[in-house]
Structure formats: structure tokens, C-alpha cells
Amino acid sequence: MISKPRRTGDYPDRLVDCQEAMEAGFQAIIDCMGEAGWTREEAKRALRRLIAADNMTQKENAKVEAELAIARAIIRAGRPKPW
């Protein structure tokens, strides 16, 4: 079971608490990868790449959401589309 934050909102040790909550799951992933034949370093490198890919996806999603918001505003304003 993953523990919840100690309180809502931002607080000084929130990131540390998140890390501690994630530790057991992280170790389980690394152990499972090792049992499947991957090295610890390969698993950690793959996780870093997954994090980077997720960051890129989040940025692209935000860009698309912004473009959609602009298009909706233009339509609501009754102006012709710029494309």
C-alpha cells in the first residue's frame, strides 16, 4: 500500500515523503527486472528514459491543450479560423 501525504498542500518534507512512499514499489520493479534477466543499471536507465518520455508527453499535451483553448476562444468570439 502506498502511503498518502502527511497533509494536503505543500509542506517542507513532501517530496521526501513521496520518495519514501515510492521506495518499496521502486525496489519491487528493480527486483522483478533482475529476475527477468535485466541488470539493475539497465532497469534504472530505462526508468529514467520513461520519466523523460513522460515529461515530453506532458509538455506536448499542455501545448495541444493551449492550442485547443485558443481555437475555442476564436470560435466563441466568432472570428474566422486562422488556418
Side-chain angles (χ1 to χ4, degrees), residues 4 14-15 17 19 21 30 34-35 39 42-43 48 50 52 59 65-66 72 77-79:
K4 296 179 180 181
R14 187 175 174 94
L15 187 58
D17 289 347
Q19 183 178 341
I30 296 297
E35 289 169 12
T39 68
E42 287 170 327
R48 282 191 294 271
L50 283 172
K59 287 178 187 176
E65 287 298 323
R72 287 184 193 113
R79 296 186 191 137

Side-chain angles (χ1 to χ4, degrees), residues 35-46:
E35 289 169 12
W38 301 98
T39 68
R40 185 174 188 82
E41 204 48 49
E42 287 170 327
K44 291 184 341 185
R45 198 171 330 137

